[in-house]
Amino acid sequence: MRPENETVGQQRSFIEEARRRQIIASAVEVISEVGYGSASLARIAKHAGISKGVISYHFARKDELMEQLVIQLYVSAGEHIAPAVMAAEGAHNQLLAYIGSNLQFIDANKRYVAALIDVVLNLRDADGKPRFASAEGEQEIIQPLVDIMREGQRRGEFGDFDPRVMAMSIRDAIDGAAGRAIREKDFDMTTYSAHVCRLFDVATRKRGSDD
């Protein structure tokens, strides 16, 4: 049997994690309603039905809360996208699964994605530079795509192109869809997804292949 203090500690950890998720969810809603600049901790606390002190217990400052909002969305997206990619056979199908599952996730989480974009555009570090705009961060995001395409080229599934440049083009198409899905209420993500999958299917295809 587990020691009693270990069980209590796990329960406390679970409760604290649930509270952090609740606060982040409220931050998303408040940002969606009033924008990043007006999303004060007081407003977020009021939306969550808790005191500002509860937020301060879990997050040292607003910047930390906003950082965790961004990180949480990337974690959730990864949990949605990774299984779809792993279930696909071959680099070609993995690429299409990556594109399709990314766009599906965006379509299902528009408010969260809108809040994330607002945070990414406005959150600054101590030097006044964008917190999430770095070459290292971009490389981390596109690396799974680069790996898929390099493996596809190694196996002869893909043609001759620069995997990194192609990965950046794919990410631009996905990120662009996020902006449109937020701005345009009637944006048809299903049609867009089919179009983008077809576009990059042709762009990556080995020359002379009719598949």
Side-chain angles (χ1 to χ4, degrees), residues 89-96 99 144-163 166 170 200-207 209:
E89 292 188 12
H92 172 265
N93 290 329
Q94 287 177 347
L95 174 60
L96 299 184
I99 295 172
L145 265 175
V146 174
D147 293 342
I148 288 172
M149 289 184 287
R150 281 178 176 163
E151 180 63 13
Q153 288 177 327
R154 188 185 69 80
R155 294 182 178 182
E157 293 184 51
F158 293 146
D160 184 18
F161 55 83
D162 186 321
M166 188 68 74
I170 293 170
F200 286 104
D201 174 27
V202 173
T204 58
R205 188 181 302 172
K206 191 173 183 179
R207 289 186 179 181
S209 173

PDB file of all heavy atoms in Angstrom, residues 89-96 99 144-163 166 170 200-207 209:
ATOM      1  N   GLU A  89       0.918   5.334 -41.914  1.00  0.00           N
ATOM      2  CA  GLU A  89       2.014   4.515 -42.425  1.00  0.00           C
ATOM      3  C   GLU A  89       2.743   5.254 -43.546  1.00  0.00           C
ATOM      4  O   GLU A  89       2.126   5.693 -44.511  1.00  0.00           O
ATOM      5  CB  GLU A  89       1.483   3.181 -42.948  1.00  0.00           C
ATOM      6  CG  GLU A  89       0.937   2.266 -41.861  1.00  0.00           C
ATOM      7  CD  GLU A  89       0.597   0.891 -42.389  1.00  0.00           C
ATOM      8  OE1 GLU A  89       1.002   0.579 -43.537  1.00  0.00           O
ATOM      9  OE2 GLU A  89      -0.060   0.128 -41.674  1.00  0.00           O
ATOM     10  N   GLY A  90       4.041   5.377 -43.408  1.00  0.00           N
ATOM     11  CA  GLY A  90       4.849   6.026 -44.429  1.00  0.00           C
ATOM     12  C   GLY A  90       4.877   7.533 -44.272  1.00  0.00           C
ATOM     13  O   GLY A  90       3.958   8.146 -43.717  1.00  0.00           O
ATOM     14  N   ALA A  91       5.956   8.132 -44.779  1.00  0.00           N
ATOM     15  CA  ALA A  91       6.158   9.569 -44.627  1.00  0.00           C
ATOM     16  C   ALA A  91       5.083  10.373 -45.340  1.00  0.00           C
ATOM     17  O   ALA A  91       4.643  11.420 -44.841  1.00  0.00           O
ATOM     18  CB  ALA A  91       7.538   9.946 -45.152  1.00  0.00           C
ATOM     19  N   HIS A  92       4.634   9.909 -46.497  1.00  0.00           N
ATOM     20  CA  HIS A  92       3.606  10.626 -47.253  1.00  0.00           C
ATOM     21  C   HIS A  92       2.324  10.755 -46.443  1.00  0.00           C
ATOM     22  O   HIS A  92       1.767  11.852 -46.305  1.00  0.00           O
ATOM     23  CB  HIS A  92       3.330   9.894 -48.567  1.00  0.00           C
ATOM     24  CG  HIS A  92       2.165  10.425 -49.334  1.00  0.00           C
ATOM     25  ND1 HIS A  92       0.900   9.889 -49.229  1.00  0.00           N
ATOM     26  CD2 HIS A  92       2.072  11.465 -50.201  1.00  0.00           C
ATOM     27  CE1 HIS A  92       0.067  10.571 -50.002  1.00  0.00           C
ATOM     28  NE2 HIS A  92       0.753  11.528 -50.600  1.00  0.00           N
ATOM     29  N   ASN A  93       1.862   9.667 -45.887  1.00  0.00           N
ATOM     30  CA  ASN A  93       0.641   9.694 -45.084  1.00  0.00           C
ATOM     31  C   ASN A  93       0.846  10.447 -43.761  1.00  0.00           C
ATOM     32  O   ASN A  93      -0.083  11.074 -43.252  1.00  0.00           O
ATOM     33  CB  ASN A  93       0.149   8.277 -44.811  1.00  0.00           C
ATOM     34  CG  ASN A  93      -0.380   7.600 -46.059  1.00  0.00           C
ATOM     35  OD1 ASN A  93      -0.910   8.269 -46.955  1.00  0.00           O
ATOM     36  ND2 ASN A  93      -0.234   6.283 -46.141  1.00  0.00           N
ATOM     37  N   GLN A  94       2.040  10.372 -43.229  1.00  0.00           N
ATOM     38  CA  GLN A  94       2.328  11.114 -41.994  1.00  0.00           C
ATOM     39  C   GLN A  94       2.262  12.618 -42.239  1.00  0.00           C
ATOM     40  O   GLN A  94       1.763  13.362 -41.401  1.00  0.00           O
ATOM     41  CB  GLN A  94       3.707  10.720 -41.455  1.00  0.00           C
ATOM     42  CG  GLN A  94       3.743   9.330 -40.841  1.00  0.00           C
ATOM     43  CD  GLN A  94       5.133   8.945 -40.375  1.00  0.00           C
ATOM     44  OE1 GLN A  94       6.113   9.608 -40.720  1.00  0.00           O
ATOM     45  NE2 GLN A  94       5.217   7.875 -39.593  1.00  0.00           N
ATOM     46  N   LEU A  95       2.769  13.049 -43.380  1.00  0.00           N
ATOM     47  CA  LEU A  95       2.717  14.465 -43.723  1.00  0.00           C
ATOM     48  C   LEU A  95       1.269  14.946 -43.826  1.00  0.00           C
ATOM     49  O   LEU A  95       0.902  15.982 -43.267  1.00  0.00           O
ATOM     50  CB  LEU A  95       3.440  14.716 -45.047  1.00  0.00           C
ATOM     51  CG  LEU A  95       3.353  16.137 -45.609  1.00  0.00           C
ATOM     52  CD1 LEU A  95       3.941  17.142 -44.629  1.00  0.00           C
ATOM     53  CD2 LEU A  95       4.050  16.226 -46.958  1.00  0.00           C
ATOM     54  N   LEU A  96       0.443  14.183 -44.520  1.00  0.00           N
ATOM     55  CA  LEU A  96      -0.964  14.564 -44.671  1.00  0.00           C
ATOM     56  C   LEU A  96      -1.690  14.526 -43.325  1.00  0.00           C
ATOM     57  O   LEU A  96      -2.543  15.373 -43.053  1.00  0.00           O
ATOM     58  CB  LEU A  96      -1.657  13.639 -45.679  1.00  0.00           C
ATOM     59  CG  LEU A  96      -1.081  13.654 -47.102  1.00  0.00           C
ATOM     60  CD1 LEU A  96      -1.918  12.765 -48.015  1.00  0.00           C
ATOM     61  CD2 LEU A  96      -1.014  15.081 -47.655  1.00  0.00           C
ATOM     62  N   ILE A  99      -0.724  17.723 -41.377  1.00  0.00           N
ATOM     63  CA  ILE A  99      -1.445  18.909 -41.847  1.00  0.00           C
ATOM     64  C   ILE A  99      -2.909  18.849 -41.421  1.00  0.00           C
ATOM     65  O   ILE A  99      -3.448  19.796 -40.846  1.00  0.00           O
ATOM     66  CB  ILE A  99      -1.340  19.034 -43.377  1.00  0.00           C
ATOM     67  CG1 ILE A  99       0.119  19.271 -43.801  1.00  0.00           C
ATOM     68  CG2 ILE A  99      -2.227  20.173 -43.882  1.00  0.00           C
ATOM     69  CD1 ILE A  99       0.342  19.208 -45.306  1.00  0.00           C
ATOM     70  N   PRO A 144       9.641  18.396 -36.331  1.00  0.00           N
ATOM     71  CA  PRO A 144       8.949  17.146 -36.656  1.00  0.00           C
ATOM     72  C   PRO A 144       8.624  17.022 -38.142  1.00  0.00           C
ATOM     73  O   PRO A 144       8.714  15.930 -38.716  1.00  0.00           O
ATOM     74  CB  PRO A 144       7.664  17.229 -35.812  1.00  0.00           C
ATOM     75  CG  PRO A 144       8.038  18.099 -34.665  1.00  0.00           C
ATOM     76  CD  PRO A 144       8.960  19.134 -35.244  1.00  0.00           C
ATOM     77  N   LEU A 145       8.257  18.139 -38.777  1.00  0.00           N
ATOM     78  CA  LEU A 145       7.985  18.135 -40.211  1.00  0.00           C
ATOM     79  C   LEU A 145       9.255  17.861 -41.010  1.00  0.00           C
ATOM     80  O   LEU A 145       9.246  17.089 -41.971  1.00  0.00           O
ATOM     81  CB  LEU A 145       7.416  19.495 -40.635  1.00  0.00           C
ATOM     82  CG  LEU A 145       5.903  19.650 -40.703  1.00  0.00           C
ATOM     83  CD1 LEU A 145       5.557  21.094 -41.029  1.00  0.00           C
ATOM     84  CD2 LEU A 145       5.296  18.707 -41.715  1.00  0.00           C
ATOM     85  N   VAL A 146      10.331  18.505 -40.615  1.00  0.00           N
ATOM     86  CA  VAL A 146      11.614  18.301 -41.292  1.00  0.00           C
ATOM     87  C   VAL A 146      12.007  16.824 -41.216  1.00  0.00           C
ATOM     88  O   VAL A 146      12.436  16.229 -42.216  1.00  0.00           O
ATOM     89  CB  VAL A 146      12.721  19.172 -40.659  1.00  0.00           C
ATOM     90  CG1 VAL A 146      14.088  18.840 -41.263  1.00  0.00           C
ATOM     91  CG2 VAL A 146      12.412  20.657 -40.866  1.00  0.00           C
ATOM     92  N   ASP A 147      11.827  16.213 -40.051  1.00  0.00           N
ATOM     93  CA  ASP A 147      12.176  14.799 -39.872  1.00  0.00           C
ATOM     94  C   ASP A 147      11.332  13.899 -40.770  1.00  0.00           C
ATOM     95  O   ASP A 147      11.847  12.941 -41.369  1.00  0.00           O
ATOM     96  CB  ASP A 147      11.979  14.393 -38.406  1.00  0.00           C
ATOM     97  CG  ASP A 147      12.970  15.075 -37.470  1.00  0.00           C
ATOM     98  OD1 ASP A 147      14.003  15.570 -37.960  1.00  0.00           O
ATOM     99  OD2 ASP A 147      12.699  15.112 -36.255  1.00  0.00           O
ATOM    100  N   ILE A 148      10.038  14.190 -40.861  1.00  0.00           N
ATOM    101  CA  ILE A 148       9.148  13.389 -41.711  1.00  0.00           C
ATOM    102  C   ILE A 148       9.608  13.457 -43.166  1.00  0.00           C
ATOM    103  O   ILE A 148       9.685  12.438 -43.867  1.00  0.00           O
ATOM    104  CB  ILE A 148       7.688  13.888 -41.597  1.00  0.00           C
ATOM    105  CG1 ILE A 148       7.100  13.513 -40.239  1.00  0.00           C
ATOM    106  CG2 ILE A 148       6.823  13.291 -42.720  1.00  0.00           C
ATOM    107  CD1 ILE A 148       5.736  14.122 -39.958  1.00  0.00           C
ATOM    108  N   MET A 149       9.911  14.660 -43.628  1.00  0.00           N
ATOM    109  CA  MET A 149      10.267  14.814 -45.042  1.00  0.00           C
ATOM    110  C   MET A 149      11.654  14.265 -45.368  1.00  0.00           C
ATOM    111  O   MET A 149      11.876  13.718 -46.456  1.00  0.00           O
ATOM    112  CB  MET A 149      10.112  16.282 -45.442  1.00  0.00           C
ATOM    113  CG  MET A 149       8.623  16.657 -45.506  1.00  0.00           C
ATOM    114  SD  MET A 149       8.299  18.328 -46.075  1.00  0.00           S
ATOM    115  CE  MET A 149       8.808  19.264 -44.635  1.00  0.00           C
ATOM    116  N   ARG A 150      12.572  14.388 -44.443  1.00  0.00           N
ATOM    117  CA  ARG A 150      13.894  13.795 -44.674  1.00  0.00           C
ATOM    118  C   ARG A 150      13.790  12.272 -44.748  1.00  0.00           C
ATOM    119  O   ARG A 150      14.435  11.638 -45.595  1.00  0.00           O
ATOM    120  CB  ARG A 150      14.849  14.211 -43.559  1.00  0.00           C
ATOM    121  CG  ARG A 150      15.392  15.625 -43.727  1.00  0.00           C
ATOM    122  CD  ARG A 150      16.295  16.024 -42.581  1.00  0.00           C
ATOM    123  NE  ARG A 150      16.880  17.353 -42.812  1.00  0.00           N
ATOM    124  CZ  ARG A 150      17.436  18.085 -41.876  1.00  0.00           C
ATOM    125  NH1 ARG A 150      17.543  17.618 -40.634  1.00  0.00           N
ATOM    126  NH2 ARG A 150      17.935  19.276 -42.165  1.00  0.00           N
ATOM    127  N   GLU A 151      12.969  11.708 -43.870  1.00  0.00           N
ATOM    128  CA  GLU A 151      12.777  10.259 -43.900  1.00  0.00           C
ATOM    129  C   GLU A 151      12.077   9.850 -45.194  1.00  0.00           C
ATOM    130  O   GLU A 151      12.407   8.817 -45.794  1.00  0.00           O
ATOM    131  CB  GLU A 151      11.948   9.812 -42.685  1.00  0.00           C
ATOM    132  CG  GLU A 151      11.689   8.314 -42.603  1.00  0.00           C
ATOM    133  CD  GLU A 151      12.947   7.465 -42.457  1.00  0.00           C
ATOM    134  OE1 GLU A 151      14.029   8.045 -42.164  1.00  0.00           O
ATOM    135  OE2 GLU A 151      12.864   6.243 -42.633  1.00  0.00           O
ATOM    136  N   GLY A 152      11.107  10.644 -45.638  1.00  0.00           N
ATOM    137  CA  GLY A 152      10.428  10.350 -46.897  1.00  0.00           C
ATOM    138  C   GLY A 152      11.358  10.419 -48.090  1.00  0.00           C
ATOM    139  O   GLY A 152      11.261   9.603 -49.020  1.00  0.00           O
ATOM    140  N   GLN A 153      12.280  11.375 -48.063  1.00  0.00           N
ATOM    141  CA  GLN A 153      13.272  11.455 -49.145  1.00  0.00           C
ATOM    142  C   GLN A 153      14.220  10.269 -49.097  1.00  0.00           C
ATOM    143  O   GLN A 153      14.590   9.711 -50.132  1.00  0.00           O
ATOM    144  CB  GLN A 153      14.050  12.771 -49.038  1.00  0.00           C
ATOM    145  CG  GLN A 153      13.229  14.003 -49.424  1.00  0.00           C
ATOM    146  CD  GLN A 153      13.990  15.297 -49.244  1.00  0.00           C
ATOM    147  OE1 GLN A 153      14.811  15.421 -48.340  1.00  0.00           O
ATOM    148  NE2 GLN A 153      13.725  16.277 -50.109  1.00  0.00           N
ATOM    149  N   ARG A 154      14.594   9.875 -47.898  1.00  0.00           N
ATOM    150  CA  ARG A 154      15.503   8.731 -47.749  1.00  0.00           C
ATOM    151  C   ARG A 154      14.876   7.455 -48.305  1.00  0.00           C
ATOM    152  O   ARG A 154      15.554   6.626 -48.926  1.00  0.00           O
ATOM    153  CB  ARG A 154      15.862   8.525 -46.278  1.00  0.00           C
ATOM    154  CG  ARG A 154      16.944   7.490 -46.032  1.00  0.00           C
ATOM    155  CD  ARG A 154      17.162   7.247 -44.555  1.00  0.00           C
ATOM    156  NE  ARG A 154      16.031   6.565 -43.949  1.00  0.00           N
ATOM    157  CZ  ARG A 154      15.816   5.240 -44.033  1.00  0.00           C
ATOM    158  NH1 ARG A 154      16.650   4.468 -44.714  1.00  0.00           N
ATOM    159  NH2 ARG A 154      14.769   4.700 -43.443  1.00  0.00           N
ATOM    160  N   ARG A 155      13.568   7.316 -48.107  1.00  0.00           N
ATOM    161  CA  ARG A 155      12.851   6.131 -48.574  1.00  0.00           C
ATOM    162  C   ARG A 155      12.402   6.229 -50.028  1.00  0.00           C
ATOM    163  O   ARG A 155      11.876   5.274 -50.582  1.00  0.00           O
ATOM    164  CB  ARG A 155      11.617   5.896 -47.701  1.00  0.00           C
ATOM    165  CG  ARG A 155      11.920   5.519 -46.264  1.00  0.00           C
ATOM    166  CD  ARG A 155      10.625   5.277 -45.514  1.00  0.00           C
ATOM    167  NE  ARG A 155      10.850   4.855 -44.134  1.00  0.00           N
ATOM    168  CZ  ARG A 155       9.875   4.551 -43.282  1.00  0.00           C
ATOM    169  NH1 ARG A 155       8.604   4.622 -43.681  1.00  0.00           N
ATOM    170  NH2 ARG A 155      10.167   4.183 -42.057  1.00  0.00           N
ATOM    171  N   GLY A 156      12.590   7.394 -50.621  1.00  0.00           N
ATOM    172  CA  GLY A 156      12.176   7.565 -52.008  1.00  0.00           C
ATOM    173  C   GLY A 156      10.710   7.925 -52.169  1.00  0.00           C
ATOM    174  O   GLY A 156      10.181   7.890 -53.283  1.00  0.00           O
ATOM    175  N   GLU A 157      10.040   8.298 -51.087  1.00  0.00           N
ATOM    176  CA  GLU A 157       8.629   8.685 -51.165  1.00  0.00           C
ATOM    177  C   GLU A 157       8.470  10.116 -51.659  1.00  0.00           C
ATOM    178  O   GLU A 157       7.451  10.455 -52.270  1.00  0.00           O
ATOM    179  CB  GLU A 157       7.949   8.548 -49.801  1.00  0.00           C
ATOM    180  CG  GLU A 157       7.810   7.131 -49.290  1.00  0.00           C
ATOM    181  CD  GLU A 157       7.037   7.078 -47.977  1.00  0.00           C
ATOM    182  OE1 GLU A 157       5.934   7.668 -47.911  1.00  0.00           O
ATOM    183  OE2 GLU A 157       7.530   6.461 -47.018  1.00  0.00           O
ATOM    184  N   PHE A 158       9.440  10.963 -51.355  1.00  0.00           N
ATOM    185  CA  PHE A 158       9.377  12.371 -51.733  1.00  0.00           C
ATOM    186  C   PHE A 158      10.441  12.707 -52.760  1.00  0.00           C
ATOM    187  O   PHE A 158      11.443  12.000 -52.897  1.00  0.00           O
ATOM    188  CB  PHE A 158       9.576  13.265 -50.500  1.00  0.00           C
ATOM    189  CG  PHE A 158       8.455  13.188 -49.488  1.00  0.00           C
ATOM    190  CD1 PHE A 158       8.731  13.316 -48.137  1.00  0.00           C
ATOM    191  CD2 PHE A 158       7.142  12.987 -49.880  1.00  0.00           C
ATOM    192  CE1 PHE A 158       7.723  13.266 -47.190  1.00  0.00           C
ATOM    193  CE2 PHE A 158       6.118  12.929 -48.948  1.00  0.00           C
ATOM    194  CZ  PHE A 158       6.405  13.066 -47.593  1.00  0.00           C
ATOM    195  N   GLY A 159      10.230  13.823 -53.437  1.00  0.00           N
ATOM    196  CA  GLY A 159      11.188  14.286 -54.431  1.00  0.00           C
ATOM    197  C   GLY A 159      12.320  15.070 -53.800  1.00  0.00           C
ATOM    198  O   GLY A 159      12.532  15.040 -52.584  1.00  0.00           O
ATOM    199  N   ASP A 160      13.026  15.805 -54.645  1.00  0.00           N
ATOM    200  CA  ASP A 160      14.197  16.560 -54.206  1.00  0.00           C
ATOM    201  C   ASP A 160      13.792  18.004 -53.890  1.00  0.00           C
ATOM    202  O   ASP A 160      13.442  18.773 -54.787  1.00  0.00           O
ATOM    203  CB  ASP A 160      15.255  16.538 -55.311  1.00  0.00           C
ATOM    204  CG  ASP A 160      16.541  17.224 -54.878  1.00  0.00           C
ATOM    205  OD1 ASP A 160      16.732  17.402 -53.657  1.00  0.00           O
ATOM    206  OD2 ASP A 160      17.340  17.599 -55.769  1.00  0.00           O
ATOM    207  N   PHE A 161      13.824  18.359 -52.621  1.00  0.00           N
ATOM    208  CA  PHE A 161      13.537  19.726 -52.190  1.00  0.00           C
ATOM    209  C   PHE A 161      14.194  19.941 -50.835  1.00  0.00           C
ATOM    210  O   PHE A 161      14.655  18.990 -50.204  1.00  0.00           O
ATOM    211  CB  PHE A 161      12.019  19.978 -52.100  1.00  0.00           C
ATOM    212  CG  PHE A 161      11.291  18.986 -51.213  1.00  0.00           C
ATOM    213  CD1 PHE A 161      11.243  19.146 -49.834  1.00  0.00           C
ATOM    214  CD2 PHE A 161      10.651  17.890 -51.771  1.00  0.00           C
ATOM    215  CE1 PHE A 161      10.576  18.234 -49.018  1.00  0.00           C
ATOM    216  CE2 PHE A 161       9.985  16.965 -50.970  1.00  0.00           C
ATOM    217  CZ  PHE A 161       9.946  17.141 -49.596  1.00  0.00           C
ATOM    218  N   ASP A 162      14.231  21.176 -50.413  1.00  0.00           N
ATOM    219  CA  ASP A 162      14.812  21.508 -49.111  1.00  0.00           C
ATOM    220  C   ASP A 162      13.762  21.238 -48.030  1.00  0.00           C
ATOM    221  O   ASP A 162      12.745  21.958 -47.969  1.00  0.00           O
ATOM    222  CB  ASP A 162      15.225  22.981 -49.094  1.00  0.00           C
ATOM    223  CG  ASP A 162      15.973  23.379 -47.827  1.00  0.00           C
ATOM    224  OD1 ASP A 162      15.583  22.902 -46.731  1.00  0.00           O
ATOM    225  OD2 ASP A 162      16.925  24.157 -47.921  1.00  0.00           O
ATOM    226  N   PRO A 163      13.954  20.244 -47.174  1.00  0.00           N
ATOM    227  CA  PRO A 163      12.947  19.901 -46.161  1.00  0.00           C
ATOM    228  C   PRO A 163      12.612  21.053 -45.216  1.00  0.00           C
ATOM    229  O   PRO A 163      11.456  21.220 -44.822  1.00  0.00           O
ATOM    230  CB  PRO A 163      13.595  18.739 -45.395  1.00  0.00           C
ATOM    231  CG  PRO A 163      14.534  18.130 -46.365  1.00  0.00           C
ATOM    232  CD  PRO A 163      15.071  19.294 -47.140  1.00  0.00           C
ATOM    233  N   MET A 166      10.438  23.637 -47.084  1.00  0.00           N
ATOM    234  CA  MET A 166       9.100  23.078 -47.272  1.00  0.00           C
ATOM    235  C   MET A 166       8.337  23.071 -45.950  1.00  0.00           C
ATOM    236  O   MET A 166       7.131  23.377 -45.909  1.00  0.00           O
ATOM    237  CB  MET A 166       9.194  21.648 -47.819  1.00  0.00           C
ATOM    238  CG  MET A 166       7.840  21.045 -48.224  1.00  0.00           C
ATOM    239  SD  MET A 166       7.111  21.848 -49.682  1.00  0.00           S
ATOM    240  CE  MET A 166       8.167  21.177 -50.984  1.00  0.00           C
ATOM    241  N   ILE A 170       4.750  24.873 -45.094  1.00  0.00           N
ATOM    242  CA  ILE A 170       3.595  24.166 -44.537  1.00  0.00           C
ATOM    243  C   ILE A 170       3.100  24.841 -43.277  1.00  0.00           C
ATOM    244  O   ILE A 170       1.893  25.038 -43.073  1.00  0.00           O
ATOM    245  CB  ILE A 170       3.959  22.690 -44.272  1.00  0.00           C
ATOM    246  CG1 ILE A 170       4.199  21.958 -45.600  1.00  0.00           C
ATOM    247  CG2 ILE A 170       2.848  21.992 -43.475  1.00  0.00           C
ATOM    248  CD1 ILE A 170       4.787  20.577 -45.441  1.00  0.00           C
ATOM    249  N   PHE A 200       0.387  20.303 -50.965  1.00  0.00           N
ATOM    250  CA  PHE A 200       1.694  19.831 -50.520  1.00  0.00           C
ATOM    251  C   PHE A 200       1.937  18.370 -50.896  1.00  0.00           C
ATOM    252  O   PHE A 200       3.093  17.933 -50.920  1.00  0.00           O
ATOM    253  CB  PHE A 200       1.860  20.068 -49.016  1.00  0.00           C
ATOM    254  CG  PHE A 200       2.097  21.513 -48.695  1.00  0.00           C
ATOM    255  CD1 PHE A 200       1.096  22.308 -48.163  1.00  0.00           C
ATOM    256  CD2 PHE A 200       3.325  22.099 -48.976  1.00  0.00           C
ATOM    257  CE1 PHE A 200       1.318  23.647 -47.899  1.00  0.00           C
ATOM    258  CE2 PHE A 200       3.558  23.440 -48.720  1.00  0.00           C
ATOM    259  CZ  PHE A 200       2.546  24.218 -48.190  1.00  0.00           C
ATOM    260  N   ASP A 201       0.888  17.663 -51.216  1.00  0.00           N
ATOM    261  CA  ASP A 201       1.055  16.328 -51.787  1.00  0.00           C
ATOM    262  C   ASP A 201       1.760  16.454 -53.133  1.00  0.00           C
ATOM    263  O   ASP A 201       2.742  15.756 -53.416  1.00  0.00           O
ATOM    264  CB  ASP A 201      -0.320  15.672 -51.960  1.00  0.00           C
ATOM    265  CG  ASP A 201      -0.242  14.339 -52.682  1.00  0.00           C
ATOM    266  OD1 ASP A 201       0.814  13.672 -52.617  1.00  0.00           O
ATOM    267  OD2 ASP A 201      -1.243  13.951 -53.317  1.00  0.00           O
ATOM    268  N   VAL A 202       1.280  17.392 -53.937  1.00  0.00           N
ATOM    269  CA  VAL A 202       1.892  17.624 -55.250  1.00  0.00           C
ATOM    270  C   VAL A 202       3.293  18.217 -55.103  1.00  0.00           C
ATOM    271  O   VAL A 202       4.238  17.815 -55.797  1.00  0.00           O
ATOM    272  CB  VAL A 202       1.005  18.569 -56.092  1.00  0.00           C
ATOM    273  CG1 VAL A 202       1.721  18.954 -57.398  1.00  0.00           C
ATOM    274  CG2 VAL A 202      -0.332  17.913 -56.399  1.00  0.00           C
ATOM    275  N   ALA A 203       3.465  19.155 -54.165  1.00  0.00           N
ATOM    276  CA  ALA A 203       4.755  19.835 -53.998  1.00  0.00           C
ATOM    277  C   ALA A 203       5.865  18.899 -53.544  1.00  0.00           C
ATOM    278  O   ALA A 203       7.031  19.099 -53.895  1.00  0.00           O
ATOM    279  CB  ALA A 203       4.596  20.978 -53.001  1.00  0.00           C
ATOM    280  N   THR A 204       5.520  17.877 -52.778  1.00  0.00           N
ATOM    281  CA  THR A 204       6.540  16.980 -52.243  1.00  0.00           C
ATOM    282  C   THR A 204       6.698  15.703 -53.053  1.00  0.00           C
ATOM    283  O   THR A 204       7.635  14.935 -52.826  1.00  0.00           O
ATOM    284  CB  THR A 204       6.202  16.567 -50.784  1.00  0.00           C
ATOM    285  OG1 THR A 204       4.906  15.944 -50.759  1.00  0.00           O
ATOM    286  CG2 THR A 204       6.198  17.778 -49.863  1.00  0.00           C
ATOM    287  N   ARG A 205       5.796  15.494 -53.997  1.00  0.00           N
ATOM    288  CA  ARG A 205       5.780  14.246 -54.757  1.00  0.00           C
ATOM    289  C   ARG A 205       7.056  14.072 -55.585  1.00  0.00           C
ATOM    290  O   ARG A 205       7.595  15.030 -56.136  1.00  0.00           O
ATOM    291  CB  ARG A 205       4.551  14.216 -55.665  1.00  0.00           C
ATOM    292  CG  ARG A 205       4.336  12.872 -56.370  1.00  0.00           C
ATOM    293  CD  ARG A 205       3.115  12.952 -57.249  1.00  0.00           C
ATOM    294  NE  ARG A 205       1.912  13.302 -56.515  1.00  0.00           N
ATOM    295  CZ  ARG A 205       0.747  13.588 -57.097  1.00  0.00           C
ATOM    296  NH1 ARG A 205       0.673  13.605 -58.418  1.00  0.00           N
ATOM    297  NH2 ARG A 205      -0.294  13.862 -56.350  1.00  0.00           N
ATOM    298  N   LYS A 206       7.498  12.855 -55.682  1.00  0.00           N
ATOM    299  CA  LYS A 206       8.649  12.534 -56.501  1.00  0.00           C
ATOM    300  C   LYS A 206       8.296  12.702 -57.980  1.00  0.00           C
ATOM    301  O   LYS A 206       7.234  12.271 -58.418  1.00  0.00           O
ATOM    302  CB  LYS A 206       9.093  11.093 -56.238  1.00  0.00           C
ATOM    303  CG  LYS A 206      10.440  10.724 -56.831  1.00  0.00           C
ATOM    304  CD  LYS A 206      10.859   9.343 -56.364  1.00  0.00           C
ATOM    305  CE  LYS A 206      12.235   8.974 -56.885  1.00  0.00           C
ATOM    306  NZ  LYS A 206      12.663   7.634 -56.416  1.00  0.00           N
ATOM    307  N   ARG A 207       9.137  13.342 -58.725  1.00  0.00           N
ATOM    308  CA  ARG A 207       8.856  13.583 -60.122  1.00  0.00           C
ATOM    309  C   ARG A 207       8.683  12.288 -60.885  1.00  0.00           C
ATOM    310  O   ARG A 207       9.431  11.323 -60.704  1.00  0.00           O
ATOM    311  CB  ARG A 207       9.983  14.402 -60.767  1.00  0.00           C
ATOM    312  CG  ARG A 207      10.020  15.860 -60.315  1.00  0.00           C
ATOM    313  CD  ARG A 207      11.039  16.646 -61.091  1.00  0.00           C
ATOM    314  NE  ARG A 207      11.067  18.041 -60.694  1.00  0.00           N
ATOM    315  CZ  ARG A 207      11.861  18.961 -61.226  1.00  0.00           C
ATOM    316  NH1 ARG A 207      12.703  18.598 -62.180  1.00  0.00           N
ATOM    317  NH2 ARG A 207      11.824  20.210 -60.824  1.00  0.00           N
ATOM    318  N   SER A 209       6.032  10.504 -60.574  1.00  0.00           N
ATOM    319  CA  SER A 209       5.075   9.665 -59.844  1.00  0.00           C
ATOM    320  C   SER A 209       3.660  10.136 -60.126  1.00  0.00           C
ATOM    321  O   SER A 209       3.354  11.325 -60.124  1.00  0.00           O
ATOM    322  CB  SER A 209       5.345   9.752 -58.342  1.00  0.00           C
ATOM    323  OG  SER A 209       4.325   9.086 -57.628  1.00  0.00           O
TER     324      SER A 209
END
